[in-house]
Amino acid sequence: MRIRLSLLSLCLAAALVRLHAPIPVFAQVDPLPAWNESAAKRAILTFVQATTDQANRDFVPPADRIATFDQDGTLWVEHPMYTQVVYCLDRVPALVRAQPELANVEPFKTVMTGNLEAIAKLPMLELQKILVATLTGMSVDQFQTQVKLWIDSARDRRWKRPYTDLMYEPMTEVLNFMRAKGYRTYIVTGGGQDFVRAYAGNTYGIPPEQVVGTAGATKFEYGENGEPLLVKAPKLLLNDNNAGKPEGIHLMIGRRPYAAFGNSTGDRQMLEYTKAGKGRRLAMLILHDDAAREYAYGPAQGLPETKVGTFTQALYNEAKKDGWVVVSMKNDWNRIFAFER
Amino acid sequence: MRIRLSLLSLCLAAALVRLHAPIPVFAQVDPLPAWNESAAKRAILTFVQATTDQANRDFVPPADRIATFDQDGTLWVEHPMYTQVVYCLDRVPALVRAQPELANVEPFKTVMTGNLEAIAKLPMLELQKILVATLTGMSVDQFQTQVKLWIDSARDRRWKRPYTDLMYEPMTEVLNFMRAKGYRTYIVTGGGQDFVRAYAGNTYGIPPEQVVGTAGATKFEYGENGEPLLVKAPKLLLNDNNAGKPEGIHLMIGRRPYAAFGNSTGDRQMLEYTKAGKGRRLAMLILHDDAAREYAYGPAQGLPETKVGTFTQALYNEAKKDGWVVVSMKNDWNRIFAFER
């Protein structure tokens, strides 16, 4: 009898605790804690809730749950220079060591001085020579190794951290949240497809087959021991920018996304294509308006255009007109980088 | 007591049954019943067992489990004409109805006669005009609709059945078995990527993003009501045959397959690339040597080459030398089509 009474009082005590204390076990954990409680956050939560709830008229079957994300300026920092451009410039000394005659040839000569102002002034055609020299001519396996070694050792100039630390914590949360709800998350980037694939797995949890990017041809060859090789060739197959983004999405995925995220005019057609699909769709643009914690640029804020992806006034107007969600980094994000924690 | 005794005798009886009768509940269900008990079947079972058993030295993590399948002649019948060629010819009357002046212009004039011998003699350049006229110029959504309507109504001439009935039952079993073991199954076809995507889901259980094929460019445009459209353009991006197969695999998947299945010289480089990867890999070639139940063709059997994919003697020799598995349709498959059941 004593035992029974003890059990009863334990149960009662437990019930009282549940009545008076917060009930963390039953409360829903906030999937987007780095987002302030704003319209942008509500737009994401509402969209994902509606499209993954079988009782909702906007329900989307799991196989069709595709979300596409621009990379530079949307998932991580793109200023003052795209990370891939830094990579290509950083590769030049190794190139010159292998072919010393390049030291006296432009554009390699200027790059070897390390003078960033002079490098920034190189004409586009000269820059292309650097891209061709550092991104083609090797096997795809060699290239993966080169990029992985670099990404592990390179540090950005402002934060003195690996570039992979510069992904936006709020966007990591969106990737994880959407994946947890059955969405497949794709990167759709103007950057090099093979370049981004080299770190997308570790950095974003995105496998190579879910990276759509600017892609060059490869050439099937046989190596010295007769082994089959795929060698990166200087021939452009897909320029994955502007109209190239929906075209690349069709080529690589073959389905129209239900959600798309970008930050510049290069993402416009992807967002238009996404939003024009039947049923509920989500189109989001990240506005870089936080000079203190990150950067502020783009005419949409009365700031000058820059060499990197730009959020023009026309893009801003289209977003407002067509119901795209504009995310203010300053107002909508309470934390920008994971290392701020 | 009576009840207890009855239970005991029931248990004893059950035990006796288990000792003397076959034990279907405990035996493993054969995942490949349309395959005879041969070396080819054992090769598949052993490969899948080894690469999916965590204790095995050839274990492959689930994310890397990629298997690629040629379509025509590997998953379904390719003789006497690729299904997509039949589709293009069948589309010509609709084209001529829309543009009556074509009725007097070659190659449309010859196609409209329905004379298969004359059509077969059309030069390649004339045939290309038919491909361009029937595979480009429309939006990707319109094209999907056109192919789906056709695939539902067209019948092949020999079996008087839908083309999708002509998939090989043993290969359906391989697709299902490998998927059940965590492999992602990709089609890697010389056929049109958008064409195959239109039915691959219903036919093979393969989603659009897992169809790699010969791909044309699309052009992003705005329709009459300003809606974004992707229009199929007459520009080849990827010729997914021969060296184009591993190149297409790298472009669309970015991983080397662990298993690859083909049936002709067009699959050679894909099989070489697959087999050259580290660890255990599986390369298989289907040999069409069953004139009674399907077709017999190719020099590897002393038969003449045909216009469709060919299993040459050189390919046969390479397979034997490099440990690829050659599947005899006649000897290794006890059933070819599901409708034979």
Side-chain angles (χ1 to χ4, degrees):
Chain A
M1 207 48 190
R2 173 169 279 202
I3 292 168
R4 285 234 178 125
L5 244 168
S6 301
L7 273 173
L8 184 66
S9 39
L10 259 172
C11 291
L12 274 170
L16 285 170
V17 166
R18 277 178 59 190
L19 276 174
H20 293 284
I23 39 170
V25 177
F26 294 90
Q28 213 169 350
V29 176
D30 180 1
L32 305 176
W35 291 71
N36 292 323
E37 300 302 327
S38 66
K41 177 173 181 170
R42 274 194 305 278
I44 299 169
L45 293 173
T46 310
F47 170 81
V48 172
Q49 164 63 23
T51 55
T52 59
D53 171 6
Q54 211 144 4
N56 196 297
R57 47 173 257 173
D58 290 317
F59 177 73
V60 176
D64 288 326
R65 291 184 202 155
I66 304 283
T68 55
F69 297 81
D70 168 57
Q71 180 193 232
D72 295 299
T74 299
L75 293 180
W76 75 358
V77 174
E78 66 180 351
H79 233 272
M81 212 185 258
Y82 294 126
T83 305
Q84 189 176 358
V85 176
V86 183
Y87 169 79
C88 292
L89 296 176
D90 279 3
R91 285 291 301 169
V92 169
L95 275 184
V96 172
R97 273 196 301 279
Q99 295 172 261
E101 65 276 16
L102 289 180
N104 299 313
V105 179
E106 289 296 357
F108 306 98
K109 193 175 165 184
T110 298
V111 174
M112 289 301 285
T113 65
N115 180 338
L116 282 181
E117 270 182 44
I119 294 169
K121 282 182 193 146
L122 284 170
M124 187 51 77
L125 228 73
E126 294 288 292
L127 276 174
Q128 279 178 6
K129 285 185 194 164
I130 296 171
L131 302 189
V132 168
T134 55
L135 301 175
T136 71
M138 70 294 286
S139 78
V140 297
D141 294 337
Q142 285 172 324
F143 182 71
Q144 288 288 303
T145 305
Q146 287 169 2
V147 177
K148 280 179 179 166
L149 281 173
W150 181 83
I151 209 94
D152 284 344
S153 62
R155 297 290 179 271
D156 98 290
R157 285 166 187 255
R158 175 167 164 189
W159 286 278
K160 322 283 183 216
R161 288 179 168 275
Y163 289 94
T164 48
D165 279 7
L166 302 187
M167 51 193 293
Y168 306 133
E169 176 84 339
M171 295 308 293
T172 309
E173 291 175 359
V174 173
L175 288 171
N176 290 336
F177 174 51
M178 294 194 79
R179 286 199 287 256
K181 292 292 189 174
Y183 272 89
R184 266 167 303 152
T185 54
Y186 281 76
I187 289 175
V188 177
T189 174
Q193 183 166 287
D194 283 346
F195 182 78
V196 177
R197 279 172 170 174
Y199 56 80
N202 288 337
T203 306
Y204 306 116
I206 292 182
E209 64 272 22
Q210 289 176 21
V211 176
V212 177
T214 294
T218 56
K219 196 168 175 309
F220 181 87
E221 292 178 2
Y222 298 97
E224 284 176 13
N225 304 311
E227 76 280 13
L229 290 177
L230 289 171
V231 177
K232 288 174 70 64
K235 185 189 159 194
L236 188 66
L237 281 186
L238 173 67
N239 184 1
D240 197 45
N241 248 323
N242 305 310
K245 289 209 173 191
E247 291 164 8
I249 287 168
H250 178 72
L251 178 68
M252 310 271 190
I253 314 176
R255 305 181 193 256
R256 195 192 292 250
Y258 273 80
F261 300 76
N263 79 304
S264 82
T265 52
D267 303 310
R268 181 166 68 86
Q269 290 89 338
M270 172 172 78
L271 294 167
E272 289 173 349
Y273 182 62
T274 300
K275 205 70 171 63
K278 283 181 198 141
R280 189 193 273 253
R281 311 269 166 161
L282 179 67
M284 283 198 131
L285 276 169
I286 313 296
L287 180 68
H288 292 260
D289 57 357
D290 194 330
R293 296 188 300 172
E294 202 240 12
Y295 293 101
Y297 51 96
Q301 317 162 245
L303 296 168
E305 288 203 34
T306 65
K307 274 203 170 181
V308 297
T310 288
F311 199 138
T312 60
Q313 190 60 46
L315 186 68
Y316 188 86
N317 296 345
E318 182 171 354
K320 287 295 168 189
K321 182 173 142 285
D322 290 341
W324 306 356
V325 181
V326 176
V327 177
S328 158
M329 292 178 74
K330 190 171 177 177
N331 301 318
D332 291 325
W333 291 359
N334 61 58
R335 188 168 55 237
I336 292 193
F337 302 113
F339 59 76
E340 291 170 10
R341 275 185 290 198
Chain B
M1 209 47 190
R2 174 170 276 204
I3 292 169
R4 286 233 177 125
L5 242 168
S6 301
L7 273 174
L8 183 66
S9 40
L10 261 173
C11 290
L12 273 171
L16 283 170
V17 167
R18 277 178 60 190
L19 274 174
H20 294 283
I23 40 170
V25 177
F26 295 90
Q28 214 169 351
V29 176
D30 180 1
L32 305 174
W35 291 72
N36 291 324
E37 301 301 327
S38 66
K41 177 175 181 169
R42 275 194 305 278
I44 299 168
L45 294 174
T46 311
F47 169 82
V48 172
Q49 165 62 24
T51 54
T52 58
D53 171 7
Q54 212 144 2
N56 196 296
R57 45 172 259 173
D58 291 317
F59 177 74
V60 176
D64 289 326
R65 289 184 203 155
I66 304 283
T68 55
F69 297 80
D70 167 59
Q71 181 191 232
D72 296 299
T74 298
L75 293 180
W76 74 357
V77 173
E78 65 182 351
H79 234 275
M81 212 185 260
Y82 295 126
T83 305
Q84 188 175 0
V85 176
V86 183
Y87 169 78
C88 292
L89 296 175
D90 278 4
R91 285 290 303 169
V92 169
L95 276 184
V96 171
R97 273 196 302 279
Q99 296 172 261
E101 67 276 17
L102 290 180
N104 300 313
V105 179
E106 288 297 356
F108 306 98
K109 192 175 165 185
T110 298
V111 174
M112 289 300 286
T113 65
N115 180 339
L116 281 182
E117 272 182 45
I119 293 168
K121 283 183 193 143
L122 283 170
M124 187 53 74
L125 229 71
E126 294 288 292
L127 276 175
Q128 279 177 6
K129 285 185 194 164
I130 296 170
L131 301 191
V132 168
T134 55
L135 301 176
T136 70
M138 68 295 285
S139 79
V140 297
D141 294 336
Q142 285 171 325
F143 182 70
Q144 288 287 304
T145 306
Q146 288 169 0
V147 177
K148 279 178 181 167
L149 281 173
W150 181 83
I151 210 92
D152 285 345
S153 63
R155 297 291 179 270
D156 99 291
R157 284 166 186 256
R158 175 166 165 189
W159 287 278
K160 323 282 180 216
R161 288 180 169 273
Y163 288 94
T164 49
D165 279 9
L166 302 187
M167 52 192 295
Y168 306 133
E169 176 83 341
M171 294 308 292
T172 309
E173 292 175 358
V174 172
L175 288 172
N176 290 335
F177 174 51
M178 294 193 79
R179 286 199 287 256
K181 293 292 188 173
Y183 272 89
R184 266 166 304 152
T185 54
Y186 281 76
I187 289 176
V188 178
T189 173
Q193 182 167 286
D194 283 346
F195 181 79
V196 177
R197 278 172 170 173
Y199 55 81
N202 288 338
T203 306
Y204 305 116
I206 292 181
E209 63 272 21
Q210 291 176 19
V211 176
V212 178
T214 294
T218 55
K219 198 167 175 309
F220 181 87
E221 292 177 4
Y222 299 97
E224 283 176 15
N225 304 312
E227 74 282 12
L229 290 176
L230 288 172
V231 177
K232 289 174 70 64
K235 184 188 159 196
L236 188 66
L237 281 186
L238 173 68
N239 184 1
D240 198 46
N241 248 324
N242 306 309
K245 289 209 172 191
E247 291 164 8
I249 287 169
H250 177 72
L251 179 68
M252 310 270 190
I253 313 177
R255 304 181 194 255
R256 196 191 291 251
Y258 273 81
F261 299 77
N263 79 303
S264 82
T265 52
D267 303 309
R268 183 167 67 85
Q269 289 89 336
M270 173 171 76
L271 294 167
E272 290 173 348
Y273 182 63
T274 300
K275 204 69 171 62
K278 283 181 198 142
R280 189 192 275 253
R281 310 268 167 162
L282 181 67
M284 284 199 130
L285 276 168
I286 312 296
L287 181 67
H288 292 261
D289 59 355
D290 194 330
R293 296 188 299 171
E294 202 240 11
Y295 293 101
Y297 52 96
Q301 317 162 247
L303 295 167
E305 289 202 33
T306 65
K307 275 204 171 183
V308 297
T310 288
F311 199 140
T312 61
Q313 191 60 47
L315 186 68
Y316 188 86
N317 296 345
E318 182 172 355
K320 288 296 168 188
K321 184 175 142 281
D322 291 341
W324 307 354
V325 182
V326 175
V327 177
S328 158
M329 291 179 74
K330 190 171 178 178
N331 301 318
D332 291 325
W333 291 356
N334 61 58
R335 189 169 53 237
I336 292 192
F337 303 112
F339 59 75
E340 291 170 9
R341 276 184 291 200

